[in-house]
Amino acid sequence: MWAVARRLLLVAVVVLANLGPAGAALAGAAAADVALTLTAGAGGRATAAPPGPAYPAGTVVTLTAAPDPGQVFTGWTVDGRPRGWASPLALTMDADHTVAAAFAPRPRFPDVPPGDPAAEAIAQLAARGVIRGYADGRFGPADPTLRAQIAALIARAMGWDAEDHATPFPDRGPVDAALWRNVGTLAHHGVARGYPDGTFKPTGQVAEAQVISFIARALVAAGHWRAQPDHPALYPNVPADSGHRIDLATFVHYAGAAPGTSARAAWVTWNQPSARSRAWTAQALWQALDAVFGAPA
């Protein structure tokens, strides 16, 4: 019986060989083809190279997203899971995959001209719903950012906005329920630590180094970064007892110097709110998020 089966297999191989390239293609397809289902939402298109939808298993496919004019590419979903917004994206076809590219209208604010250093960061974050403008259409780039507000930005950026944890701080004051819930979420994840007296001071303006600490701690808590050891050459005027040095070293390691600074020089305004607080905060947050989710896989 085994001899007969072996003889039939040899006959099949000979037949496919005699068919030339067509026979080889049939043999390969029968052995290992996997399928790519690629779609694009309204506002852009997505392409695959080499074109599919069928590929030999193990093929690396390059996916490219192209937003239409006035649109922003907001990210890939691969098999139902977010995969960042790197474009092009290399995808190994180790199985069937379903990929979708998402786009959103590019937000525009009358007080953020295209040449503003923070314009792209503001547009990208607003397109993703992380930051929001005012009811009158302005963004307010020079308006202050409060500590409760930075908690909301971080919660939205990390996908934690729907979480609800008890807020351990006693000084809520006039802060609305949604912002206070975000503060509690950041405390739960070890991002918001408050002051030595146990308060959070939610309506206080956030200092530049505090913005960097919130961002770095959140990305560490989410598993995207690892806390880095302090480096004395980085921002040498920021004191060791400030509570920020590990966070600064982590941010610089993964995302580069904080906006408008040189990492190996004194940071004069580290403990002060930025003069353009909302714009500067957007720059710092987008710089970090793009380093994680916009980097090639």
Side-chain angles (χ1 to χ4, degrees):
M1 182 175 178
W2 286 109
V4 172
R6 184 179 179 187
R7 184 172 297 176
L8 289 173
L9 178 60
L10 289 173
V11 170
V13 170
V14 170
V15 169
L16 289 173
N18 288 338
L19 288 174
L26 286 171
D33 272 5
V34 291
L36 171 66
T37 303
L38 177 63
T39 60
R45 57 192 178 86
T47 58
Y55 301 92
T59 301
V60 176
V61 179
T62 300
L63 305 176
T64 304
D68 294 338
Q71 300 285 315
V72 172
F73 171 54
T74 57
W76 303 103
T77 301
V78 178
D79 300 330
R81 296 184 177 184
R83 185 70 176 270
W85 47 80
S87 181
L89 174 71
L91 178 68
T92 300
M93 294 300 299
D94 50 2
D96 292 346
H97 289 298
T98 299
V99 180
F103 303 88
R106 177 178 287 273
R108 300 190 185 280
F109 302 98
D111 54 347
V112 183
D116 189 299
E120 186 63 16
I122 291 169
Q124 293 285 353
L125 291 173
R128 292 166 171 80
V130 175
I131 59 174
R132 301 164 185 170
Y134 297 113
D136 63 3
R138 297 180 306 109
F139 178 72
D143 290 353
T145 302
L146 306 184
R147 285 171 56 82
Q149 292 172 332
I150 189 68
L153 298 184
I154 298 297
R156 294 174 199 148
M158 294 294 102
W160 299 338
D161 191 36
E163 294 186 18
D164 192 356
H165 305 281
T167 305
F169 307 109
D171 57 333
R172 172 178 171 177
V175 173
D176 67 42
L179 290 181
W180 195 237
R181 175 173 49 80
N182 292 147
V183 172
T185 295
L186 263 62
H188 170 79
H189 288 286
V191 177
R193 300 173 183 171
Y195 290 95
D197 64 358
T199 64
F200 183 72
K201 298 180 173 54
T203 58
Q205 294 189 42
V206 65
E208 291 180 351
Q210 290 174 336
V211 172
I212 300 302
S213 284
F214 277 117
I215 295 170
R217 292 173 192 168
L219 288 167
V220 169
H224 299 301
W225 289 356
R226 290 187 178 184
Q228 299 296 304
D230 184 17
H231 193 306
L234 298 177
Y235 302 118
N237 67 313
V238 178
D241 63 356
S242 66
H244 297 299
R245 293 204 57 86
I246 296 294
D247 303 324
L248 298 179
T250 302
F251 187 98
V252 170
H253 177 80
Y254 289 103
T261 73
S262 174
R264 293 182 177 269
W267 185 357
V268 177
T269 57
W270 70 271
N271 60 348
Q272 303 170 27
S274 171
R276 301 181 74 243
S277 185
R278 277 169 61 86
W280 191 90
T281 298
Q283 282 182 276
L285 181 55
W286 176 248
Q287 181 177 323
L289 294 177
D290 198 41
V292 175
F293 302 109

